[in-house]
Amino acid sequence: MGASTVVIRELSGTGEDRRRVGFGLLAVSLLVQSTWVMTHGFRHHHSPLGIGWTAVTAALMHAPVPHPPVPRWTTHC
């Protein structure tokens, strides 16, 4: 969740530098989390919060996205 928040926040701006920082922070976050999980022998368990988070994420990914209006000068093929 934290990595997703960082990426969304960093990519919400414009410019190549913000994108580079966002993906760099995502890479560091994933590296730290995966290293911690492997070194501590973490084993997953059922989590109502995790199941809910996954369900909401899946629903949002499959929800219809409103498209911006098409400029008049654009031709439709």
Side-chain angles (χ1 to χ4, degrees):
M1 288 190 300
S4 300
T5 305
V6 168
V7 170
I8 290 170
R9 185 190 60 185
E10 290 300 323
L11 295 181
S12 63
T14 58
E16 188 63 30
D17 290 337
R18 285 187 69 83
R19 284 189 200 97
R20 206 179 345 248
V21 168
F23 283 110
L25 290 173
L26 175 61
V28 169
S29 173
L30 291 174
L31 178 67
V32 169
Q33 290 176 24
S34 62
T35 301
W36 184 87
V37 165
M38 288 188 292
T39 58
H40 288 81
F42 179 78
R43 298 290 179 249
H44 65 277
H45 302 285
H46 295 289
S47 163
L49 178 62
I51 293 168
W53 182 264
T54 303
V56 169
T57 302
L60 291 175
M61 286 175 24
H62 295 289
V65 178
H67 296 285
V70 178
R72 286 185 217 147
W73 51 267
T74 304
T75 58
H76 298 283
C77 297

